[in-house]
mmCIF file of all heavy atoms in Angstrom:
data_model
loop_
_atom_site.group_PDB
_atom_site.id
_atom_site.type_symbol
_atom_site.label_atom_id
_atom_site.label_comp_id
_atom_site.label_asym_id
_atom_site.label_seq_id
_atom_site.Cartn_x
_atom_site.Cartn_y
_atom_site.Cartn_z
ATOM 1 N N ALA P 99 119.087 68.497 89.193
ATOM 2 C CA ALA P 99 119.802 68.719 87.924
ATOM 3 C C ALA P 99 119.201 67.833 86.819
ATOM 4 O O ALA P 99 119.088 68.228 85.703
ATOM 5 C CB ALA P 99 121.281 68.375 88.115
ATOM 6 N N ARG P 100 118.870 66.610 87.226
ATOM 7 C CA ARG P 100 118.298 65.660 86.224
ATOM 8 C C ARG P 100 116.965 66.104 85.766
ATOM 9 O O ARG P 100 116.633 66.139 84.591
ATOM 10 C CB ARG P 100 118.116 64.304 87.048
ATOM 11 C CG ARG P 100 117.618 63.148 86.132
ATOM 12 C CD ARG P 100 117.371 61.973 87.046
ATOM 13 N NE ARG P 100 117.155 60.762 86.295
ATOM 14 C CZ ARG P 100 116.724 59.623 86.819
ATOM 15 N NH1 ARG P 100 116.502 59.538 88.048
ATOM 16 N NH2 ARG P 100 116.558 58.582 86.024
ATOM 17 N N LYS P 101 116.145 66.601 86.698
ATOM 18 C CA LYS P 101 114.786 67.119 86.329
ATOM 19 C C LYS P 101 114.855 68.334 85.471
ATOM 20 O O LYS P 101 114.158 68.436 84.417
ATOM 21 C CB LYS P 101 114.040 67.505 87.675
ATOM 22 C CG LYS P 101 112.557 67.691 87.524
ATOM 23 C CD LYS P 101 111.938 67.924 88.899
ATOM 24 C CE LYS P 101 110.694 68.802 88.694
ATOM 25 N NZ LYS P 101 110.291 69.433 89.967
ATOM 26 N N ASP P 102 115.808 69.226 85.701
ATOM 27 C CA ASP P 102 115.960 70.448 84.933
ATOM 28 C C ASP P 102 116.421 70.098 83.498
ATOM 29 O O ASP P 102 115.909 70.642 82.565
ATOM 30 C CB ASP P 102 116.987 71.377 85.562
ATOM 31 C CG ASP P 102 116.481 72.008 86.838
ATOM 32 O OD1 ASP P 102 115.235 71.872 87.111
ATOM 33 O OD2 ASP P 102 117.248 72.630 87.558
ATOM 34 N N LEU P 103 117.350 69.203 83.412
ATOM 35 C CA LEU P 103 117.904 68.843 82.123
ATOM 36 C C LEU P 103 116.833 68.080 81.302
ATOM 37 O O LEU P 103 116.628 68.307 80.085
ATOM 38 C CB LEU P 103 119.114 67.902 82.266
ATOM 39 C CG LEU P 103 119.760 67.515 80.978
ATOM 40 C CD1 LEU P 103 120.569 68.677 80.350
ATOM 41 C CD2 LEU P 103 120.856 66.386 81.212
ATOM 42 N N ARG P 104 116.107 67.224 81.986
ATOM 43 C CA ARG P 104 115.030 66.473 81.300
ATOM 44 C C ARG P 104 113.947 67.411 80.756
ATOM 45 O O ARG P 104 113.464 67.204 79.610
ATOM 46 C CB ARG P 104 114.411 65.467 82.297
ATOM 47 C CG ARG P 104 113.599 64.432 81.618
ATOM 48 C CD ARG P 104 112.813 63.616 82.671
ATOM 49 N NE ARG P 104 113.645 62.701 83.421
ATOM 50 C CZ ARG P 104 113.267 62.134 84.561
ATOM 51 N NH1 ARG P 104 112.077 62.427 85.123
ATOM 52 N NH2 ARG P 104 114.096 61.309 85.181
ATOM 53 N N ALA P 105 113.617 68.470 81.524
ATOM 54 C CA ALA P 105 112.630 69.395 81.085
ATOM 55 C C ALA P 105 113.030 70.077 79.734
ATOM 56 O O ALA P 105 112.251 70.331 78.839
ATOM 57 C CB ALA P 105 112.331 70.447 82.186
ATOM 58 N N GLN P 106 114.303 70.401 79.652
ATOM 59 C CA GLN P 106 114.845 71.015 78.458
ATOM 60 C C GLN P 106 114.878 69.988 77.297
ATOM 61 O O GLN P 106 114.621 70.320 76.145
ATOM 62 C CB GLN P 106 116.223 71.616 78.669
ATOM 63 C CG GLN P 106 116.200 72.803 79.670
ATOM 64 C CD GLN P 106 115.171 73.811 79.403
ATOM 65 O OE1 GLN P 106 114.925 74.215 78.248
ATOM 66 N NE2 GLN P 106 114.438 74.276 80.432
ATOM 67 N N TRP P 107 115.316 68.776 77.660
ATOM 68 C CA TRP P 107 115.446 67.797 76.577
ATOM 69 C C TRP P 107 114.101 67.348 75.986
ATOM 70 O O TRP P 107 113.991 66.984 74.881
ATOM 71 C CB TRP P 107 116.188 66.537 77.133
ATOM 72 C CG TRP P 107 116.601 65.588 76.006
ATOM 73 C CD1 TRP P 107 116.036 64.408 75.655
ATOM 74 C CD2 TRP P 107 117.603 65.874 75.069
ATOM 75 N NE1 TRP P 107 116.647 63.917 74.545
ATOM 76 C CE2 TRP P 107 117.613 64.774 74.145
ATOM 77 C CE3 TRP P 107 118.520 66.917 74.832
ATOM 78 C CZ2 TRP P 107 118.537 64.689 73.115
ATOM 79 C CZ3 TRP P 107 119.438 66.772 73.704
ATOM 80 C CH2 TRP P 107 119.377 65.700 72.920
ATOM 81 N N ASP P 108 113.052 67.459 76.883
ATOM 82 C CA ASP P 108 111.659 67.139 76.324
ATOM 83 C C ASP P 108 111.382 68.010 75.152
ATOM 84 O O ASP P 108 110.618 67.528 74.280
ATOM 85 C CB ASP P 108 110.667 67.414 77.497
ATOM 86 C CG ASP P 108 110.636 66.285 78.529
ATOM 87 O OD1 ASP P 108 111.308 65.279 78.225
ATOM 88 O OD2 ASP P 108 110.030 66.455 79.645
ATOM 89 N N GLN P 109 111.800 69.210 75.147
ATOM 90 C CA GLN P 109 111.542 70.107 73.980
ATOM 91 C C GLN P 109 112.242 69.507 72.701
ATOM 92 O O GLN P 109 111.747 69.589 71.599
ATOM 93 C CB GLN P 109 111.989 71.520 74.191
ATOM 94 C CG GLN P 109 111.662 72.496 73.148
ATOM 95 C CD GLN P 109 110.191 72.458 72.679
ATOM 96 O OE1 GLN P 109 109.388 72.713 73.538
ATOM 97 N NE2 GLN P 109 109.898 72.164 71.451
ATOM 98 N N VAL P 110 113.435 69.016 72.890
ATOM 99 C CA VAL P 110 114.131 68.394 71.725
ATOM 100 C C VAL P 110 113.395 67.154 71.259
ATOM 101 O O VAL P 110 113.211 66.897 70.054
ATOM 102 C CB VAL P 110 115.575 67.954 72.186
ATOM 103 C CG1 VAL P 110 116.291 67.385 71.012
ATOM 104 C CG2 VAL P 110 116.351 69.226 72.728
ATOM 105 N N VAL P 111 112.871 66.322 72.210
ATOM 106 C CA VAL P 111 112.109 65.195 71.861
ATOM 107 C C VAL P 111 110.807 65.559 71.127
ATOM 108 O O VAL P 111 110.400 64.940 70.154
ATOM 109 C CB VAL P 111 111.781 64.296 73.075
ATOM 110 C CG1 VAL P 111 110.795 63.197 72.798
ATOM 111 C CG2 VAL P 111 113.073 63.748 73.648
ATOM 112 N N ALA P 112 110.169 66.684 71.619
ATOM 113 C CA ALA P 112 108.973 67.188 70.901
ATOM 114 C C ALA P 112 109.270 67.558 69.496
ATOM 115 O O ALA P 112 108.501 67.339 68.595
ATOM 116 C CB ALA P 112 108.382 68.373 71.736
ATOM 117 N N ALA P 113 110.448 68.204 69.332
ATOM 118 C CA ALA P 113 110.838 68.582 68.008
ATOM 119 C C ALA P 113 111.022 67.360 67.070
ATOM 120 O O ALA P 113 110.604 67.349 65.957
ATOM 121 C CB ALA P 113 112.145 69.396 68.067
ATOM 122 N N VAL P 114 111.629 66.340 67.627
ATOM 123 C CA VAL P 114 111.856 65.060 66.863
ATOM 124 C C VAL P 114 110.501 64.415 66.584
ATOM 125 O O VAL P 114 110.334 63.829 65.491
ATOM 126 C CB VAL P 114 112.825 64.176 67.664
ATOM 127 C CG1 VAL P 114 112.727 62.746 67.144
ATOM 128 C CG2 VAL P 114 114.240 64.674 67.526
ATOM 129 N N ASP P 115 109.576 64.507 67.538
ATOM 130 C CA ASP P 115 108.224 63.975 67.325
ATOM 131 C C ASP P 115 107.558 64.689 66.119
ATOM 132 O O ASP P 115 106.943 64.037 65.269
ATOM 133 C CB ASP P 115 107.327 64.142 68.566
ATOM 134 C CG ASP P 115 107.692 63.116 69.625
ATOM 135 O OD1 ASP P 115 108.453 62.179 69.386
ATOM 136 O OD2 ASP P 115 107.293 63.393 70.772
ATOM 137 N N ALA P 116 107.773 65.948 66.059
ATOM 138 C CA ALA P 116 107.208 66.741 64.908
ATOM 139 C C ALA P 116 107.871 66.368 63.647
ATOM 140 O O ALA P 116 107.198 66.223 62.574
ATOM 141 C CB ALA P 116 107.373 68.274 65.192
ATOM 142 N N VAL P 117 109.179 66.115 63.699
ATOM 143 C CA VAL P 117 109.921 65.658 62.484
ATOM 144 C C VAL P 117 109.363 64.295 62.010
ATOM 145 O O VAL P 117 109.138 64.057 60.861
ATOM 146 C CB VAL P 117 111.424 65.555 62.762
ATOM 147 C CG1 VAL P 117 112.152 64.752 61.678
ATOM 148 C CG2 VAL P 117 111.999 66.935 62.946
ATOM 149 N N THR P 118 109.062 63.415 62.996
ATOM 150 C CA THR P 118 108.548 62.114 62.662
ATOM 151 C C THR P 118 107.138 62.215 62.101
ATOM 152 O O THR P 118 106.828 61.533 61.151
ATOM 153 C CB THR P 118 108.488 61.212 63.995
ATOM 154 O OG1 THR P 118 109.764 61.194 64.563
ATOM 155 C CG2 THR P 118 108.046 59.829 63.692
ATOM 156 N N ALA P 119 106.337 63.165 62.661
ATOM 157 C CA ALA P 119 104.931 63.364 62.125
ATOM 158 C C ALA P 119 105.031 63.856 60.696
ATOM 159 O O ALA P 119 104.231 63.479 59.843
ATOM 160 C CB ALA P 119 104.229 64.325 63.018
ATOM 161 N N TYR P 120 106.010 64.744 60.469
ATOM 162 C CA TYR P 120 106.173 65.293 59.055
ATOM 163 C C TYR P 120 106.513 64.169 58.091
ATOM 164 O O TYR P 120 106.005 64.080 57.037
ATOM 165 C CB TYR P 120 107.243 66.393 59.105
ATOM 166 C CG TYR P 120 107.710 66.798 57.782
ATOM 167 C CD1 TYR P 120 106.834 67.431 56.864
ATOM 168 C CD2 TYR P 120 109.043 66.586 57.394
ATOM 169 C CE1 TYR P 120 107.293 67.837 55.615
ATOM 170 C CE2 TYR P 120 109.479 67.020 56.109
ATOM 171 C CZ TYR P 120 108.611 67.637 55.233
ATOM 172 O OH TYR P 120 109.034 68.051 53.979
ATOM 173 N N SER P 121 107.438 63.320 58.548
ATOM 174 C CA SER P 121 107.863 62.179 57.738
ATOM 175 C C SER P 121 106.693 61.252 57.453
ATOM 176 O O SER P 121 106.481 60.817 56.330
ATOM 177 C CB SER P 121 109.017 61.398 58.422
ATOM 178 O OG SER P 121 109.260 60.201 57.692
ATOM 179 N N ALA P 122 105.857 61.034 58.481
ATOM 180 C CA ALA P 122 104.672 60.115 58.325
ATOM 181 C C ALA P 122 103.668 60.783 57.412
ATOM 182 O O ALA P 122 103.030 60.114 56.607
ATOM 183 C CB ALA P 122 104.048 59.929 59.721
ATOM 184 N N SER P 123 103.580 62.129 57.407
ATOM 185 C CA SER P 123 102.611 62.747 56.539
ATOM 186 C C SER P 123 103.072 62.681 55.093
ATOM 187 O O SER P 123 102.295 62.575 54.167
ATOM 188 C CB SER P 123 102.450 64.216 56.970
ATOM 189 O OG SER P 123 103.576 65.031 56.580
ATOM 190 N N LEU P 124 104.419 62.717 54.829
ATOM 191 C CA LEU P 124 104.898 62.488 53.422
ATOM 192 C C LEU P 124 104.617 61.088 53.019
ATOM 193 O O LEU P 124 104.187 60.870 51.902
ATOM 194 C CB LEU P 124 106.441 62.800 53.395
ATOM 195 C CG LEU P 124 106.888 64.170 53.722
ATOM 196 C CD1 LEU P 124 108.419 64.271 53.624
ATOM 197 C CD2 LEU P 124 106.293 65.191 52.681
ATOM 198 N N GLU P 125 104.770 60.107 53.961
ATOM 199 C CA GLU P 125 104.415 58.761 53.687
ATOM 200 C C GLU P 125 102.921 58.568 53.315
ATOM 201 O O GLU P 125 102.592 57.850 52.470
ATOM 202 C CB GLU P 125 104.731 57.867 54.816
ATOM 203 C CG GLU P 125 106.195 57.535 54.997
ATOM 204 C CD GLU P 125 106.641 56.393 53.997
ATOM 205 O OE1 GLU P 125 105.797 55.721 53.529
ATOM 206 O OE2 GLU P 125 107.843 56.333 53.690
ATOM 207 N N ALA P 126 102.102 59.344 54.091
ATOM 208 C CA ALA P 126 100.600 59.310 53.834
ATOM 209 C C ALA P 126 100.302 59.784 52.453
ATOM 210 O O ALA P 126 99.496 59.219 51.730
ATOM 211 C CB ALA P 126 99.917 60.065 54.899
ATOM 212 N N ILE P 127 100.969 60.838 52.002
ATOM 213 C CA ILE P 127 100.716 61.389 50.617
ATOM 214 C C ILE P 127 101.198 60.313 49.668
ATOM 215 O O ILE P 127 100.501 60.062 48.652
ATOM 216 C CB ILE P 127 101.452 62.637 50.483
ATOM 217 C CG1 ILE P 127 100.814 63.807 51.288
ATOM 218 C CG2 ILE P 127 101.387 63.138 49.001
ATOM 219 C CD1 ILE P 127 101.589 65.096 51.283
ATOM 220 N N TYR P 128 102.359 59.762 49.915
ATOM 221 C CA TYR P 128 102.885 58.792 49.015
ATOM 222 C C TYR P 128 101.970 57.576 48.839
ATOM 223 O O TYR P 128 101.666 57.185 47.767
ATOM 224 C CB TYR P 128 104.266 58.330 49.556
ATOM 225 C CG TYR P 128 104.927 57.238 48.747
ATOM 226 C CD1 TYR P 128 105.742 57.552 47.678
ATOM 227 C CD2 TYR P 128 104.864 55.893 49.187
ATOM 228 C CE1 TYR P 128 106.398 56.542 46.917
ATOM 229 C CE2 TYR P 128 105.482 54.930 48.473
ATOM 230 C CZ TYR P 128 106.237 55.204 47.352
ATOM 231 O OH TYR P 128 106.849 54.243 46.664
ATOM 232 N N SER P 129 101.490 57.137 49.960
ATOM 233 C CA SER P 129 100.558 55.939 49.963
ATOM 234 C C SER P 129 99.275 56.297 49.221
ATOM 235 O O SER P 129 98.756 55.465 48.503
ATOM 236 C CB SER P 129 100.240 55.491 51.394
ATOM 237 O OG SER P 129 101.406 55.131 52.036
ATOM 238 N N ALA P 130 98.732 57.488 49.559
ATOM 239 C CA ALA P 130 97.515 57.928 48.883
ATOM 240 C C ALA P 130 97.723 57.940 47.365
ATOM 241 O O ALA P 130 96.796 57.561 46.621
ATOM 242 C CB ALA P 130 97.094 59.263 49.409
ATOM 243 N N GLY P 131 98.855 58.447 46.973
ATOM 244 C CA GLY P 131 99.189 58.507 45.523
ATOM 245 C C GLY P 131 99.256 57.137 44.890
ATOM 246 O O GLY P 131 98.813 56.924 43.846
ATOM 247 N N LYS P 132 99.901 56.230 45.638
ATOM 248 C CA LYS P 132 100.010 54.867 45.110
ATOM 249 C C LYS P 132 98.750 54.116 45.044
ATOM 250 O O LYS P 132 98.566 53.203 44.190
ATOM 251 C CB LYS P 132 101.039 54.109 46.028
ATOM 252 C CG LYS P 132 102.465 54.476 45.806
ATOM 253 C CD LYS P 132 103.019 53.688 44.626
ATOM 254 C CE LYS P 132 104.518 54.006 44.389
ATOM 255 N NZ LYS P 132 105.040 53.418 43.177
ATOM 256 N N SER P 133 97.817 54.416 45.981
ATOM 257 C CA SER P 133 96.591 53.604 46.063
ATOM 258 C C SER P 133 95.402 54.423 45.490
ATOM 259 O O SER P 133 94.284 54.244 45.970
ATOM 260 C CB SER P 133 96.352 53.131 47.450
ATOM 261 O OG SER P 133 96.232 54.304 48.290
ATOM 262 N N GLY P 134 95.666 55.280 44.548
ATOM 263 C CA GLY P 134 94.573 56.141 43.980
ATOM 264 C C GLY P 134 93.459 55.234 43.391
ATOM 265 O O GLY P 134 92.294 55.541 43.544
#
Side-chain angles (χ1 to χ4, degrees):
Chain P
R100 185 186 191 190
K101 197 176 151 197
D102 290 349
L103 184 70
R104 195 188 287 165
Q106 297 308 319
W107 192 255
D108 281 350
Q109 183 55 56
V110 182
V111 172
V114 163
D115 285 345
V117 165
T118 306
Y120 168 65
S121 173
S123 75
L124 294 179
E125 280 284 339
I127 292 173
Y128 177 84
S129 301
K132 281 277 182 190
S133 58

